[in-house]
């Protein structure tokens, strides 16, 4: 504002030549910080308990982490990788909703020829009868949806295994 | 504790929303006993893992009969997996997702494999004793068919690459005379390999493997029969069409004969016929050396043989 007024005042004097400045407010900006935020848990005060899976960002896959989903679609010359990926994402959402708050860690999906093997790590939040019912329900529904045998191998742990505190 | 009790009461009340026709007291007693049973189930501690009750000499193939994910409570090994925290050790096997992610071969121990082989032996037949070598196999079964089956993980067993059929046969096993063999080689072109004398036919133009196999056999039959026929236009075969160099009626023969006749004329020898010249040893040697040079290419021995034959032909003894 002050700058604009000064420019106008200077322009009023006939013998002074000043370049025509565009009339604008100045904005104070910082340079853009392009930080990847994919699948990373940011370091905090040291009270956040984090599993091995969450503690390692994606560039550690094949170095310190394995793959959560195993199938042949991503090999050279093989087909239907995209269909497997879509099926995987649906199955993970389905399990997240079917076992609310009981999943200790991500589900591991293994495909062996036609069948889908789901390996779950569950917390002991639900009584065993309810857990058995939900497992059977999930197996039946997924088999009917995908027209292939679906087996769930569930393990229960008292708490999610803490790898470190961030 | 109170909160848990209240929550259970609500859940049970919801479950028994339409009570059966019975007295109110009996109903309440039923509800309370059921509630107590569920509570004790939750409070009861979980049973210890199976590993603590495993004998050292147990039958492992009954613990892992088929391929299964890693179960820490069933595998009595103190395995750790994962990158250790700074100043720490790799994480233990309980709740370890990395051990579950990897494929394991706990179901394929040597005793388990022995059991598989014993079970499969009933379905196996002996290899025929008459076919005890590769030559015998080739003699009795000259045509080799190669097909590929593709196995992948997914809901579909179809793979379009599975329809490709490769047919391989050695031309020496086929009954072909000289003309038929040359015609067949001209007909198939690149599909014949001269070094191994193998004709390879790869068919994939039909959608099914059976159709491609039938087409391949049909091609082989047609090639065989066509190569035995001699068409009228085959008599117009020129020197450029020949597969190998033939000395008879070639320019080399003409030149040699003309030269020799001229030499004989200057020496005033009585007329020597062409047949006599052709039959003479020097001309025979020259013919063989030229044929070897043209067909096999230029090698040390071929060139020296040609040199000797030319020297003998022109009777030049002095030069080395």
């Amino acid at each position: 504002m002050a700058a604009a007024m000064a420019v106008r005042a200077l322009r009023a004097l006939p013998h002074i030549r000043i370049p025509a400045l565009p009339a604008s407010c100045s904005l104070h900006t910082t340079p853009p910080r392009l930080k990847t935020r994919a699948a990373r848990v940011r370091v905090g005060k040291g009270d956040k308990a984090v599993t091995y899976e969450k503690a390692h960002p994606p560039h550690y896959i094949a170095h310190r982490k394995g793959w959560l989903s195993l199938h042949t679609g991503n090999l050279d010359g093989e087909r239907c990788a995209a269909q497997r990926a879509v099926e995987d994402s649906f199955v993970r959402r389905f399990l997240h909703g079917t076992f609310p708050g009981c999943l200790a860690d991500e589900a591991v999906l293994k495909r062996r020829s036609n069948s889908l093997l789901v390996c779950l790590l569950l917390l002991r939040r639900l009584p065993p009868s309810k857990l058995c019912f939900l497992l059977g329900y999930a197996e039946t529904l997924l088999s009917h949806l995908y027209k292939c045998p679906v087996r769930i191998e569930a393990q229960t742990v008292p708490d999610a295994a803490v790898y470190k505190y961030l | 504790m109170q909160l848990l009790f209240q929550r259970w009461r609500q859940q049970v009340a919801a479950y028994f929303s339409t009570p059966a026709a019975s007295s109110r007291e009996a109903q309440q007693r039923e509800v309370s006993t059921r509630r107590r049973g569920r509570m004790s189930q939750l409070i009861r501690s979980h049973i210890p893992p199976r590993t603590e009750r495993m004998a050292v000499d147990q039958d492992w193939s009954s613990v892992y009969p088929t391929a299964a994910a890693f179960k820490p409570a069933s595998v009595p090994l103190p395995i750790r997996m994962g990158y250790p925290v700074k100043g720490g050790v790799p994480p233990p096997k309980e709740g370890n997702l990395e051990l579950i992610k990897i494929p394991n071969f706990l179901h394929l121990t040597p005793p388990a494999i022995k059991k598989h082989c014993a079970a499969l032996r009933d379905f196996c037949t002996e290899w025929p004793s008459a076919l005890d070598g590769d030559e015998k196999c080739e003699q009795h079964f000259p045509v080799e068919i190669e097909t590929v089956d593709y196995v992948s993980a997914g809901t579909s067993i179809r793979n379009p690459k599975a329809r490709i059929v490769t047919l391989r046969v050695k031309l020496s096993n086929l009954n072909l005379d000289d003309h038929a063999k040359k015609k067949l080689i001209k007909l198939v072109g690149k599909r014949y390999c001269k070094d191994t004398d193998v004709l390879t036919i790869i068919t994939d133009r039909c959608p099914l493997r059976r159709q491609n196999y039938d087409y391949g056999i049909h091609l082989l039959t047609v090639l065989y029969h066509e190569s035995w026929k001699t068409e009228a236009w085959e008599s117009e075969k020129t020197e450029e069409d020949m597969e190998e160099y033939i000395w008879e009626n070639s320019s080399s023969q003409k030149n040699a004969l003309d030269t020799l006749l001229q030499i004989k004329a200057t020496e005033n020898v009585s007329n020597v016929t062409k047949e006599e010249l052709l039959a003479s040893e020097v001309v025979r040697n020259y013919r063989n050396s030229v044929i070897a040079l043209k067909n096999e290419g230029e090698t040390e021995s071929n060139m020296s043989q040609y040199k000797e034959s030319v020297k003998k032909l022109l009777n030049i003894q002095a030069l080395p």
Side-chain angles (χ1 to χ4, degrees):
Chain A
M1 196 55 199
M5 279 177 61
V7 163
R8 248 181 268 125
L10 279 174
R11 276 220 189 101
L13 302 167
H15 57 277
I16 294 177
R17 285 217 183 181
I18 47 163
L21 295 167
S24 63
C25 316
S26 53
L27 271 176
H28 179 69
T29 53
T30 51
R33 294 166 303 157
L34 302 161
K35 284 187 178 173
T36 29
R37 303 197 71 87
R40 278 165 178 81
V41 178
R42 295 284 157 179
V43 168
K45 289 249 189 305
D47 53 351
K48 229 184 317 180
V50 140
T51 54
Y52 188 90
E53 186 64 34
K54 286 210 166 64
H56 288 93
H59 65 267
Y60 280 123
I61 296 175
H63 297 267
R64 296 186 191 174
K65 267 165 79 163
W67 279 268
L68 284 169
S69 160
L70 291 175
H71 59 271
T72 58
N74 287 321
L75 297 174
D76 181 35
E78 296 286 336
R79 305 150 62 235
C80 300
Q83 281 90 325
R84 302 291 99 76
V86 167
E87 284 165 23
D88 286 351
S89 67
F90 175 82
V91 168
R92 283 178 208 284
R93 279 170 192 271
F94 178 84
L95 293 168
H96 184 74
T98 313
F99 300 94
C102 296
L103 288 175
D105 216 335
E106 296 274 346
V108 172
L109 304 177
K110 298 187 183 192
R111 279 188 183 75
R112 214 167 273 139
S113 66
N114 191 25
S115 65
L116 175 60
L117 184 64
V118 181
C119 307
L120 289 178
L121 267 181
L122 296 167
L123 298 169
R124 292 168 190 163
R125 295 253 169 94
L126 290 174
S129 55
K130 288 208 173 146
L131 200 58
C132 284
F133 168 75
L134 285 176
L135 288 172
Y137 155 83
E139 274 193 11
T140 323
L141 208 62
L142 285 173
S143 330
H144 279 277
L145 280 171
Y146 285 121
K147 305 280 183 277
C148 66
V150 176
R151 274 181 301 128
I152 301 188
E153 283 189 20
Q155 295 173 28
T156 55
V157 283
D159 291 298
V162 175
Y163 179 64
K164 56 161 114 176
Y165 290 91
L166 290 179
Chain B
M1 202 58 187
Q2 280 294 333
L3 262 167
L4 199 67
F5 207 85
Q6 279 173 12
R7 213 181 297 149
W8 270 116
R9 207 187 302 169
Q10 286 169 10
Q11 279 193 1
V12 164
Y15 187 73
F16 289 106
S17 54
T18 51
S22 56
S23 70
R24 193 186 165 81
E25 280 177 33
Q27 208 178 303
Q28 278 180 340
R29 240 183 288 129
E30 199 185 21
V31 158
S32 58
T33 46
R34 208 161 288 195
R35 199 191 304 151
R36 228 179 282 131
R38 288 226 185 125
M39 285 269 289
S40 59
Q41 245 182 338
L42 266 189
I43 295 164
R44 177 185 73 199
S45 60
H46 282 258
I47 50 175
R50 189 178 161 184
T51 49
E52 292 170 23
R53 287 179 286 126
M54 280 180 172
V56 174
D57 55 352
Q58 69 173 333
D59 178 27
W60 182 252
S61 56
S62 57
V63 181
Y64 267 87
T66 50
F70 181 84
K71 291 181 224 64
S74 299
V75 178
L77 299 168
I79 302 178
R80 289 179 175 271
M81 176 145 172
Y83 194 80
V85 201
K86 190 173 169 187
V89 289
K93 63 177 181 176
E94 286 82 18
N96 195 330
L97 206 63
E98 296 301 312
L99 279 166
I100 300 174
K101 283 180 196 173
I102 53 168
N104 63 65
F105 295 97
L106 293 162
H107 59 292
L108 291 177
T109 51
I113 296 179
K114 274 207 179 70
K115 285 189 195 170
H116 293 326
C117 291
L120 286 171
R121 194 159 286 136
D122 296 334
F123 300 101
C124 298
T125 51
E126 287 275 339
W127 181 261
S129 50
L131 296 172
D132 50 358
D134 278 339
E135 304 83 26
K136 287 254 179 74
C137 290
E138 208 193 291
Q139 179 201 346
H140 291 287
F141 303 100
V143 180
E144 273 179 28
I145 309 284
E146 189 183 299
T147 52
V148 188
D149 283 292
Y150 294 88
V151 178
S152 66
T155 46
S156 166
I157 57 165
R158 308 290 165 203
N159 194 320
K161 292 194 280 193
R163 74 184 196 282
I164 300 173
V165 173
T166 306
L167 219 131
R168 242 178 263 124
V169 66
K170 274 209 173 143
L171 289 192
S172 48
N173 290 328
L174 294 175
N175 180 21
L176 298 165
D177 71 347
D178 189 47
H179 159 263
K181 184 162 178 183
K182 288 199 177 127
K183 185 167 175 185
L184 187 86
I185 293 170
K186 267 204 195 298
L187 280 173
V188 298
K190 277 198 198 146
R191 294 176 191 81
Y192 175 71
C193 171
K194 229 179 4 166
D195 302 322
T196 53
D197 191 36
V198 166
L199 166 66
T200 312
I201 299 176
I202 304 176
T203 41
D204 67 342
R205 60 168 61 185
C206 305
L208 297 180
R209 185 189 289 169
R210 169 58 69 93
Q211 294 170 341
N212 278 319
Y213 168 76
D214 290 339
Y215 180 60
I217 297 290
H218 163 75
L219 272 183
L220 188 63
T221 319
V222 162
L223 279 169
Y224 178 77
H225 288 296
E226 281 298 320
S227 61
W228 270 100
K229 291 186 205 161
T230 312
E231 305 283 337
W233 43 261
E234 283 187 43
S235 56
E236 296 164 22
K237 194 173 178 187
T238 59
E239 209 178 297
E240 290 91 29
D241 296 325
M242 299 290 181
E243 294 83 11
E244 52 184 16
Y245 183 74
I246 300 174
W247 193 72
E248 283 74 22
N249 299 329
S250 72
S251 54
S252 172
Q253 182 196 23
K254 227 179 341 139
N255 289 341
L257 285 176
D258 288 342
T259 318
L260 280 176
L261 281 172
Q262 279 187 350
I263 293 172
K264 299 292 179 212
T266 53
E267 287 172 4
N268 291 329
V269 178
S270 58
N271 277 352
V272 189
T273 56
K274 275 197 180 165
E275 286 73 21
E276 276 183 22
L277 281 173
L278 279 174
S280 65
E281 209 194 298
V282 285
V283 176
R284 288 269 115 202
N285 275 343
Y286 180 69
R287 169 189 178 274
N288 291 340
S289 61
V290 169
I291 287 176
L293 265 181
K294 289 271 187 179
N295 283 342
E296 291 160 29
E298 289 180 14
T299 59
E300 286 276 357
S301 56
N302 280 355
M303 289 302 284
S304 59
Q305 193 186 356
Y306 180 69
K307 186 175 85 173
E308 295 301 318
S309 66
V310 166
K311 276 187 352 191
K312 284 207 190 92
L313 193 73
L314 301 175
N315 222 356
I316 309 164
Q317 303 301 338
L319 295 168

